[in-house]
Amino acid sequence: MNRYPRDFRGYGPNPPDAAWPGGAKIAISLVLNYEEGGENCLLHGDAQSEAFLSDIAGAQPWPGQRHWNMESLYDYGARAGFWRLHRLFIGLQIPVTVYGVTSALARNPEQVAAMKAAGWEIASHGLKWVDHRDMPEEVEAAQIAESFRLHEEVVGQPPQGWYTGRCSMNTVRLAAETRRLAWISDSYDDDLPYWREFGDHDQLVIPYTLEANDMRFATAPGYITGEQFFQYLKDTFDTLYAEGAAGAAKMFSIGLHCRLIGRPGRIAGLRRFLDYARGHSGVWFARRIDIADHWRATHPHRRFERPSQMSRERFIERFGSIFEHSPWIADRAFDLELGPAHDSAAGLHNALARVFRSASPEERLCVLRAHPDLAGKLAAAKRLTPESSAEQASAALDALTDDERSRFQRLNEAYVAKHGFPFIIAVRDNTKASILQAFETRIGNDTATEFVTACAQVERIAELRLKDQLP
C-alpha cells in the first residue's frame, strides 16, 4: 500500500465551533517551559555542554567540558526569572501550564512547591532537555517511562500532558502508546485541539507554538525588545479574537522560558500583553488540562471507516460503484499515494477522478455507456443501481406523466443515436425543467464537446455520491 502519513487537511474548510466555556471568543494557554537543570551538562551525564536557547549568540556545544557562561544563564532562569514570572501570574491570577523537564523538576524543589501551591498544571517536558532525533526508539520509550516514574515521585502525581519539544519521529506515537495522557502537544499544525488514532487508542493533541514564543529572543529572526514581543502577541490575539467574535473561536498558545522572558526588559512586554488581553471580554485563560477536559466533553472523538486505511477488497466494495458500474476506477485509485487528505469526500473524489481522467478514451467511453438513460427503460423496470434510483427520484424523474416519459424517451434515443453514449447530467444539481432544457441544448452539440461535458458530469455525480458517505 502506497500511503502518505502527513495530514494536510485537518478540519478542512469547516472547523468545529470550539464552544469555549462561557461563550469565550478565545482560549489563551500560557506555557512556562521549565528546563533549568535538565539541559545538556557534564554534571547530568551528558558528553557536552548545552548550546540551545540562551543569550549566547552562536553558541556551540563544548564536548567534554562544562560551559560556565551557559550554565549561569540557565541558572538565572531558576534563581530569578521563575520567581519574577511567578509573581506576575499569581498577581494577575492567571493559570499556567508548566512543561517541566522531569530531571529539572527534581533539582528545583522550591519552584515545584510554588507551582503546586499556585494550582498550576505540571506537565512532562521529557526526562531531559536534550535532542531526541537520533535516539533509538527503545531508548526513547525507556526515557518516557522513567519520566513518568520520576515525575510522580517529585510532583506527587503523574503528568496528564506531554511535550518533548526536541522530539523524534517516534515521540508522539510513543507518548500516546502509554495511554496515560490527556493531551500531547508535540505538534504545531493547528489552532484547535484534534484527535489522532493510534491503533484502538484515541489521543487528544493540543498543538503548541514556536512563533508566539519567547524562544525568538534567542533565535534569528527573532525579538529584540519586549515591545516587539508584545506587538506580535497583540496582533495574534486581535486576529483570533475577531475570528472568535465571528463564530470561529480558536486557541492561542504562548510559549515562555524562565531564562528568556524572565529578564526585566522582556517581561515588560509580556505584562503589557496580559493587561491588554484582560481588558477584553470573552477571554478564557486556561491550563491545557482544562482545554483537554473541555474538548473531550464537547468534541469527543468519533471514528469512521477511513479510505486510506482500508484493504483493497473493502475499498472496492465501498467505492466501486461511485463511478457507475466501473469498479476498476476504485481498484486503480487504491494504488495511488493515499493518506489522511483522501479520507474526505473531496480528497477521495480527487483520487478517483485522477484515475478516470488518465484512463484511455475507450475506457472513459465505457464509463459513459455504463450510465442509464434518464427516465428510461431500466428505471421503468426498477433495474437502476441504488445510487441512480435515488438520484433520478431527487428530480421526480420517477414520477413522470405519460407525455413527459415519451419526451424523455425521444430525447434519449436521439442523443444516443448522435453521440453513441447516454445523456449524462448531475440530476441532484437540477430540476426536471432544467434537465429537459439541458437535454434540448446539448443534443445539438458535436460529439467531442459532449464527450468532455459528459465526463465532467460523471465526475460531479461521483462527487455527490461521495459526499453521502464521507466527511
Side-chain angles (χ1 to χ4, degrees):
M1 292 171 62
N2 183 20
R3 295 297 177 258
Y4 189 79
R6 293 167 65 187
D7 185 355
F8 296 120
R9 181 173 188 270
Y11 287 118
N14 301 301
D17 176 10
W20 299 131
K25 300 176 181 67
I26 187 172
I28 299 180
S29 168
L30 292 173
V31 173
L32 182 59
N33 293 265
Y34 201 89
E35 299 153 355
E36 289 74 14
E39 77 279 10
N40 281 288
C41 179
L42 267 66
L43 296 175
H44 306 157
D46 301 304
Q48 59 193 20
S49 64
E50 186 56 72
F52 189 46
L53 290 188
S54 80
D55 287 323
I56 300 176
Q60 296 295 319
W62 289 8
Q65 297 186 59
R66 291 177 61 187
H67 192 318
W68 177 264
N69 290 346
M70 182 64 71
E71 289 182 24
S72 66
L73 286 170
Y74 269 76
D75 292 351
Y76 182 91
R79 294 162 56 103
F82 171 82
W83 298 109
R84 182 170 286 119
L85 289 160
H86 182 267
R87 289 189 293 271
L88 173 64
F89 297 138
I90 293 297
L92 297 178
Q93 296 184 317
I94 291 179
V96 173
T97 290
V98 177
Y99 287 170
V101 173
T102 323
S103 54
L105 296 176
R107 295 184 174 107
N108 290 267
E110 284 189 292
Q111 290 87 340
V112 171
M115 296 171 193
K116 293 176 65 177
W120 295 355
E121 176 190 14
I122 307 177
S124 182
H125 200 1
L127 182 63
K128 300 176 67 174
W129 178 230
V130 296
D131 201 335
H132 289 63
R133 63 179 178 178
D134 296 322
M135 191 176 289
E137 182 175 336
E138 63 276 10
V139 173
E140 186 172 13
Q143 289 210 4
I144 290 173
E146 174 60 12
S147 182
F148 270 97
R149 186 201 67 78
L150 185 59
H151 189 107
E152 185 168 8
E153 181 179 291
V154 171
V155 177
Q157 58 186 28
Q160 297 186 75
W162 188 277
Y163 175 74
T164 297
R166 298 158 81 173
C167 63
S168 73
M169 289 301 297
N170 300 316
T171 299
V172 174
R173 175 178 56 80
L174 291 173
E177 286 175 352
T178 67
R179 297 175 179 250
R180 301 179 65 183
L181 295 163
W183 57 267
I184 295 173
S185 282
D186 277 299
S187 186
Y188 313 95
D189 54 4
D190 215 301
D191 297 313
L192 288 172
Y194 61 87
W195 294 93
R196 284 193 61 183
E197 298 173 359
F198 295 90
D200 63 354
H201 176 61
D202 300 330
Q203 178 63 59
L204 184 64
V205 175
I206 303 182
Y208 187 47
T209 175
L210 295 182
E211 35 82 42
N213 192 313
D214 68 355
M215 67 180 288
R216 291 299 184 94
F217 283 111
T219 59
Y223 310 121
I224 303 300
T225 66
E227 180 64 23
Q228 291 175 328
F229 190 50
F230 160 72
Q231 190 61 53
Y232 189 85
L233 297 182
K234 176 181 178 298
D235 288 345
T236 304
F237 175 89
D238 288 345
T239 299
L240 295 177
Y241 190 82
E243 291 180 7
K250 302 295 194 306
M251 181 185 69
F252 182 15
S253 296
I254 301 174
L256 306 168
H257 299 75
C258 301
R259 63 191 176 278
L260 299 178
I261 199 66
R263 293 283 177 175
R266 295 169 179 163
I267 201 172
L270 175 62
R271 178 187 291 275
R272 193 171 300 130
F273 168 74
L274 295 176
D275 289 340
Y276 177 78
R278 291 171 72 243
H280 290 69
S281 62
V283 177
W284 182 39
F285 285 95
R287 303 173 306 170
R288 291 175 104 71
I289 188 60
D290 302 323
I291 292 172
D293 289 343
H294 169 80
W295 204 263
R296 183 170 291 101
T298 310
H299 299 285
H301 185 49
R302 293 180 174 86
R303 290 190 170 221
F304 66 94
E305 194 174 18
R306 298 178 181 274
S308 67
Q309 297 176 8
M310 293 177 182
S311 67
R312 182 184 297 274
E313 292 72 19
R314 177 56 179 156
F315 188 86
I316 296 172
E317 176 189 7
R318 180 84 181 270
F319 305 113
S321 63
I322 295 299
F323 282 74
E324 192 85 2
H325 294 296
S326 303
W328 60 268
I329 294 179
D331 185 45
R332 292 183 193 176
F334 183 85
D335 292 323
L336 296 178
E337 186 188 70
L338 302 182
H342 299 95
D343 291 337
S344 67
L348 187 56
H349 178 258
N350 180 269
L352 295 172
R354 284 173 57 192
V355 172
F356 178 61
R357 293 166 191 163
S358 61
S360 68
E362 292 76 16
E363 289 175 316
R364 282 182 287 158
L365 180 60
C366 286
V367 174
L368 300 187
R369 287 175 172 168
H371 279 258
D373 290 335
L374 292 182
K377 295 178 181 178
L378 290 178
K382 299 187 182 301
R383 291 172 54 195
L384 297 179
T385 64
E387 294 87 352
S388 290
S389 293
E391 288 156 0
Q392 295 204 22
S394 70
L397 300 188
D398 60 341
L400 300 176
T401 66
D402 290 341
D403 288 344
E404 288 172 334
R405 190 173 293 105
S406 296
R407 184 180 177 189
F408 268 102
Q409 185 174 346
R410 288 195 306 271
L411 289 169
N412 280 324
E413 291 173 353
Y415 186 95
V416 172
K418 179 175 182 179
H419 299 302
F421 50 84
F423 175 77
I424 300 172
I425 192 169
V427 174
R428 287 160 62 180
D429 288 336
N430 289 274
T431 63
K432 181 168 56 179
S434 66
I435 292 170
L436 284 168
Q437 183 179 8
F439 222 148
E440 299 280 7
T441 299
R442 287 172 49 188
I443 203 168
N445 290 337
D446 62 84
T447 298
T449 298
E450 269 308 283
F451 185 84
V452 172
T453 301
C455 286
Q457 290 297 305
V458 165
E459 291 186 20
R460 175 60 178 161
I461 292 168
E463 180 182 12
L464 293 169
R465 290 178 177 180
L466 285 169
K467 286 182 176 180
D468 292 336
Q469 298 191 38
L470 294 170

